[in-house]
Amino acid sequence: MVEVSTSILSVKKGEESKTFFALEKAKTDYFHIDVMDGNFVEKDTYQKMLEYSSYIKRISNLPLDVHLMVNDIKKAVDDFIAVDPNIITFHLEACKNEEEVFENIKYIKENNCKVGISVKPNTNIEEVYKYLPYIHMCLVMTVEPGKGGQNYLSEMTEKVSRLKKYIDENNIEIDIEVDGGINLRTAEEVKKAGANILVAGTAILNAVDYKVIIDELKS
Ligand code: DX5
Ligand code: ZN
């Protein structure tokens, strides 16, 4: 069944707590925490996301889905493990070799946290296959990482179907999360392709009723 992870990246200034309470009430399945270091991607949301995460932990029991868009993965894991996330996902493109990827997987698991790997639009999905048996989720970016409110890249639908086909053929138990430009229209095609966790920021935060949009995205 499909779950929704609401990205809090574009939460309106001054409306943070109101928004987080409303999302808790609307029963988002996860809060999606977009951690950007100003190096791997241009924006720097690092401190803000740390603050938001600890605030959310105080007011909600809903799980945190941490998406690291950073170069220094180990440091970010150390910082964000403090907010007891449900899963920490890092970017394949931030690792210089296979050994570093496996080291990061091990490090996150040693911190008693689930681990995900994310791939940018231009990264071939085949590059992540060898890691799939060791992780809990593959995050297929459906926009170039770095900011919210972008349009869904339709060629990513085929990438999700290829990943889904591979995990089914190889009996790999793993979640497929998609992130970027997900709304009621694009959610249909990406669910059909095999995604079971949808990240949405703008589509939800701009909605009048969070519960309605979250339920519609899942249906
Ligand atoms: C982009 C982030 C996404 C983004 C999603 O780098 O990883 O999570 O905030 O926002 P929307 O749903 O507005 O594309
Ligand atoms: Zn994200």
Side-chain angles (χ1 to χ4, degrees):
M1 75 106 172
V2 173
E3 295 180 303
V4 165
S5 184
T6 304
S7 163
I8 60 167
L9 180 68
S10 314
V11 66
K12 292 186 183 64
K13 201 127 197 54
E15 297 185 5
E16 292 88 347
S17 57
K18 187 175 105 187
T19 305
F20 298 154
F21 273 108
L23 285 169
E24 150 87 9
K25 201 157 149 274
K27 288 270 163 279
T28 181
D29 293 290
Y30 307 91
F31 286 97
H32 184 80
I33 312 294
D34 281 313
V35 183
M36 301 177 186
D37 64 357
N39 296 311
F40 183 74
V41 291
E42 207 182 310
K43 262 169 91 121
D44 182 344
T45 67
Y46 202 94
Q47 282 313 321
K48 191 166 73 166
M49 288 300 146
L50 258 183
E51 282 152 31
Y52 285 176
S53 301
S54 26
Y55 181 79
I56 290 170
K57 278 321 265 188
R58 285 202 299 276
I59 63 156
S60 166
N61 294 322
L62 295 179
L64 301 185
D65 164 30
V66 174
H67 175 197
L68 298 181
M69 289 161 275
V70 305
N71 283 325
D72 190 343
I73 294 166
K74 275 220 168 75
K75 176 183 176 320
V77 171
D78 289 341
D79 288 338
F80 279 84
I81 215 67
V83 294
D84 186 22
N86 180 59
I87 185 164
I88 295 179
T89 298
F90 62 90
H91 268 267
L92 190 60
E93 302 88 356
C95 302
K96 55 184 166 313
N97 54 38
E98 180 177 317
E99 188 199 344
E100 190 185 330
V101 179
F102 280 115
E103 245 172 57
N104 286 325
I105 292 171
K106 186 164 161 284
Y107 192 66
I108 294 169
K109 284 183 172 175
E110 279 169 357
N111 279 280
N112 300 316
C113 185
K114 282 183 169 182
V115 52
I117 292 180
S118 182
V119 284
K120 298 198 316 186
N122 294 338
T123 301
N124 290 329
I125 195 65
E126 291 77 14
E127 288 185 43
V128 81
Y129 286 175
K130 71 184 91 149
Y131 308 110
L132 297 178
Y134 308 97
I135 61 177
H136 302 89
M137 178 174 83
C138 181
L139 168 49
V140 179
M141 290 306 295
T142 44
V143 294
E144 196 56 34
K147 60 181 189 309
Q150 301 177 76
N151 290 330
Y152 174 86
L153 297 169
S154 50
E155 58 274 34
M156 293 299 114
T157 306
E158 201 267 333
K159 188 171 180 180
V160 173
S161 334
R162 286 225 306 286
L163 174 61
K164 176 69 176 154
K165 187 164 170 289
Y166 180 82
I167 65 173
D168 288 349
E169 281 169 359
N170 292 276
N171 298 317
I172 299 171
E173 271 294 297
I174 189 166
D175 287 324
I176 299 179
E177 181 171 282
V178 287
D179 184 8
I182 301 297
N183 55 39
L184 291 180
R185 185 179 53 78
T186 56
E188 282 326 300
E189 66 181 89
V190 82
K191 282 187 286 190
K192 243 188 247 119
N196 68 304
I197 305 180
L198 310 180
V199 175
T202 312
I204 295 174
L205 297 182
N206 286 0
V208 174
D209 184 321
Y210 294 157
K211 180 120 188 66
V212 167
I213 182 85
I214 287 171
D215 291 347
E216 280 180 13
L217 283 167
K218 289 163 76 159
S219 65

